[in-house]
Each structure stands twice: as structure tokens, then as C-alpha cells.
Amino acid sequence: MTLMGAAALLILILTYAGVAIGRIPGLRLDRAGIALLGGAAMIAIGALSLEDAYRAINFDTITLLLGMMIVVAHLKVSGAFRALGAVAIEHAHAPFMLLVMVTLLTGVLSAFLVNDAICLVMAPIVVHVTRVINRNPIPYLIATATASNCGSVATITGNPQNMVIGALSGISYPAFSAALAPVALFGLVAVIVIVRIVYRAEFARKAELSPEVYRGRMLPGQVLKAVVVCIGLAIAFFAGVPVAKAALIGGAILLVTRAIKPARIYREIDGPLLFMFAGLFIVVAGAEKTLLSPDIVASAKNLRLDDVWRLSGLTAVLSNIMSNVPAVLALRPFIPGLEDPERAWLVVAMSSTLAGNFTLLGSVANLIVAEQARATGKSLGFGAFFKVGLPLTLVTLLAGTAWLALGF
């Protein structure tokens, strides 16, 4: 290995370790800063020129993510999410029906919009409702987090790693959804069943509920516009319009308003996530250029990643070690050479997402729900989550892998 190769390997390892841990001890760098530092280091050692670094960034992914963030922000600021949550949850007159409503609402919204953003909206609603009706919030919060992960499996726009895969693989939106929507639906049913079993004491207490959701201020005109744009986006996605193009245009249209200041929308955009993506693209490209010779890529065939079960298991393990987006990027050089790259990408999308339900640290969505709960004085602990996460992850991964192994 050359000196540059050794340096690139060290940068790759340190970057991935930092992103997995979330910080560098003694420093104030977060995941975005770590990824950008890693990308800059790759340029500094000469692994990539600045022009190569620009080309390494997949701007389709960045654009899609930005466009969807604007759409979600507009839905949130206009009051659309609170209104929808109120309509659904206020019709839940028993604890089990509340669980079903929370799971389905979170899952369906996460299927089309970015799941992390849905958790930001749903978690406070769940905490508020359970406080009003004097119920234990933990099972409903766990359902929120896990349903957001399961539901987001269904489409390219469901979560960040699916967006990366959609851009890298070229799989169409309809084909992606046809393959993985059944897995997402199975996952949502599994969430309901497993939470019901694990927290049976909560649902054994019969009660007639009258939940009320604080709706806050709603801007009807902006809600209507946002709904129209979302319907238009769904039609465009399934009609084959490039998803990044459609999302950017949809987001831009929503910025044209007299009722909402653009600054309110901009505050909802997760800029650090965009920076992290850009940095990781550069780090992976630098490592690929300096470390992955054709012989090394060819030798990866010894891992037999053409086997759906083996690829699914490896993806799940990597996703829990280094987080799902870095895991997807780490597997990127090896997928195109497989016998059926499209199916392999679908396996990676399914497994990297469902693996996020394994522990409380498994996905950003889980952490968002835990943080939102903590902000209101409710603690969602590792053990409480794991009691649901372990069986749910095993059941859904087995079902999803079997589904894709059969060629659906």
C-alpha cells in the first residue's frame, strides 16, 4: 500500500468512527463537521483534486433531500401536520386504537416524506395526547420511532439512505415502491403486534379515551397549497419525473407565499445533514480511488454478496456499527459488479432501514423521538426500546429478506 493509500485508509476509518460515535472526544465537532473534515483531508493529501471532489458529491441526492426538507417544513409551519394528527388521533377511543392510529399515521407519512422530520412532528403530539388522557407514553413513542423506520422503507423519498440508493442505482420510483411497499406494510403490522404484546399491561387497562390534540395556529390557504404540491409530487414521482427535479420544483413553489416568512422555513432545514452527505461522498470517493483497485473489487466476490441473505445480514450489521447512510456508501463500490445490482440495492435499502429499529441508537429517527420525549420530561430508555426493537428487527428483516429472495 502506498503512503497516500495508507493516509486515505486512516482518514476513512477516523471519519466513519467519528460519524458512528457522533463526536470526537475533546472537540466540539459533530457528525457534519467530522464528515467535512474527512472530505477536506482527502483533498489535502491529494487523494482527490478539488474538481474530483465536486464530481464525487451526488447532487441529485443533495437536491432531493433539500427539496423534501422544504416541503416538510412548509407542512409543519402551516399547521398541516397538527391538523392531520388531530383528525386521526381524536378518533382513537381506546388504547389499542390509539396505538394503531399513531403507527399508521407515522408510517404512511414517513413513506412519502422524510421519516426524521415526521418524528419531529409526531413525538410531541404523542407526548401531549398521552399526558391529557393519563396513559403511559412509552409504548406509543416506541411505535412512533419504529413505524417511521418501517414506513420509510416503502419509497425513495422515505429516508436519506433510500435517497442515496435511488440516485446511485437509477431504480425508478414506481419499481422501488412496488418491491418494498409490501415490506413496509408488513413492518407496520409487526410494530402494532409487538408493541401490543410487549406492553400488554398498558392495553389491558380498558378505558374510553377522548384524546384532544392541540392544533395551534393553522394557515388554511398554505395547508391547501402544500397538500396540492404534495399530490403533484406523488404524481410526478410515479410518472417517472426525476425525483430530485420534482422535489426541488415543489419546494421552490412552496416558498412563494405572503403568509410565511422564508426564514421560518429555512430554520426547519437540516443544513448539517446536507454537509454530512457532501463530506461522506468525498471521503468515500477518495478511499475508492486510492484503495479499491479492480483486483480488490473483484475479490469482493468471495464475500458472495449475490446471496440476498448474506447481503442483508452484512448491511444490517454495518448499519448498526456505522449508521445507515455511511453503510450504504461503504457498500456502493461493490454493488454494481453483482449479478443483479437492482435487487442488491433493494436489499441494502430494506436492510439498512429496518436495522435501525434494533436499538435506540440505531437511527436518527429513534434519537429524535427520545430527545423530543426528554424535552417534555418523559424518558425513553435503551432497555424499554430494545424490548420491542430486538424482535421487531428480527421479524421484519427475515420477512423482507425472504420477500426479496423470492424475486418480488
Side-chain angles (χ1 to χ4, degrees):
M1 181 183 295
T2 64
L3 183 60
M4 183 182 294
L9 178 60
L10 180 62
I11 292 169
L12 178 70
I13 292 172
L14 291 177
T15 302
Y16 267 53
V19 169
I21 297 170
R23 62 187 182 88
I24 294 178
L27 299 176
R28 292 185 178 273
L29 279 175
D30 59 3
R31 286 186 170 90
I34 292 167
L36 283 175
L37 179 61
M42 284 291 186
I43 297 170
I45 67 170
L48 292 174
S49 67
L50 193 57
E51 291 73 20
D52 288 337
Y54 293 152
R55 285 191 289 268
I57 299 173
N58 190 302
F59 284 100
D60 279 349
T61 302
I62 303 294
T63 302
L64 172 58
L65 193 53
L66 175 61
M68 293 307 298
M69 284 179 180
I70 295 173
V71 172
V72 171
H74 197 92
L75 287 166
K76 181 180 177 181
V77 171
S78 67
F81 281 138
R82 286 193 303 272
L84 182 59
V87 170
I89 291 175
E90 287 175 358
H91 285 80
H93 298 299
F96 180 69
M97 283 308 301
L98 180 59
L99 172 66
V100 171
M101 286 293 189
V102 167
T103 301
L104 294 182
L105 180 59
T106 304
V108 171
L109 289 175
S110 296
F112 295 99
L113 305 169
V114 187
N115 67 331
D116 298 347
I118 300 305
C119 286
L120 279 169
V121 174
M122 287 299 299
I125 292 176
V126 170
V127 171
H128 168 73
V129 167
T130 51
R131 180 188 290 124
V132 169
I133 61 178
N134 194 29
R135 307 297 295 193
N136 177 12
I138 299 303
Y140 306 100
L141 287 170
I142 293 173
T144 300
T146 54
S148 76
N149 290 325
C150 289
S152 72
V153 170
T155 71
I156 288 173
T157 53
N159 56 57
Q161 61 270 20
N162 283 7
M163 294 183 188
V164 173
I165 290 169
L168 296 178
S169 67
I171 299 174
S172 70
Y173 200 95
F176 191 102
S177 297
L180 292 183
V183 178
L185 179 60
F186 176 86
L188 295 180
V189 174
V191 169
I192 295 169
V193 172
I194 293 173
V195 172
R196 171 67 177 81
I197 292 172
V198 172
Y199 288 94
R200 51 190 173 275
E202 162 66 18
F203 303 102
R205 289 193 298 139
K206 302 297 182 183
E208 179 69 23
L209 306 181
S210 298
E212 294 183 5
V213 178
Y214 171 68
R215 303 191 184 207
R217 184 187 176 206
M218 190 174 73
L219 304 171
Q222 299 306 311
V223 170
L224 177 61
K225 184 168 74 169
V227 169
V228 170
V229 168
C230 286
I231 293 172
L233 282 177
I235 293 171
F237 290 155
F238 283 102
V241 176
V243 288
K245 177 181 177 180
L248 184 64
I249 293 173
I253 290 172
L254 289 177
L255 288 175
V256 181
T257 172
R258 292 182 298 174
I260 300 174
K261 293 181 179 179
R264 294 185 65 189
I265 301 298
Y266 300 154
R267 283 197 295 268
E268 300 293 333
I269 294 173
D270 190 351
L273 181 62
L274 301 178
F275 294 149
M276 188 186 80
F277 270 57
L280 286 177
F281 277 126
I282 295 171
V283 169
V284 171
E288 187 175 349
K289 183 175 179 180
T290 56
L291 299 172
L292 295 184
S293 66
D295 291 339
I296 292 177
V297 174
S299 68
K301 292 184 178 180
N302 295 330
L303 296 174
R304 291 188 292 159
L305 296 181
D306 282 308
D307 181 85
V308 169
W309 292 93
R310 186 179 294 267
L311 179 58
S312 178
L314 176 63
T315 303
V317 170
L318 288 177
S319 296
N320 274 284
I321 292 174
M322 62 177 66
S323 189
N324 38 37
V325 171
V328 168
L329 292 176
L331 290 167
R332 180 184 70 172
F334 308 102
I335 301 299
L338 299 180
E339 184 178 332
D340 188 347
E342 181 170 316
R343 184 170 69 166
W345 278 122
L346 292 171
V347 171
V348 171
M350 178 274 300
S351 185
S352 65
T353 302
L354 295 180
N357 283 330
F358 187 57
T359 70
L360 188 59
L361 304 177
S363 78
V364 174
N366 301 348
L367 295 174
I368 287 172
V369 171
E371 286 299 319
Q372 292 288 306
R374 186 178 295 111
T376 58
K378 303 296 180 181
S379 178
L380 174 55
F382 187 94
F385 188 94
F386 192 64
K387 287 191 295 185
V388 172
L390 174 61
L392 177 63
T393 302
L394 294 177
V395 167
T396 53
L397 278 178
L398 286 171
T401 308
W403 173 262
L404 293 174
L406 291 172
F408 293 100

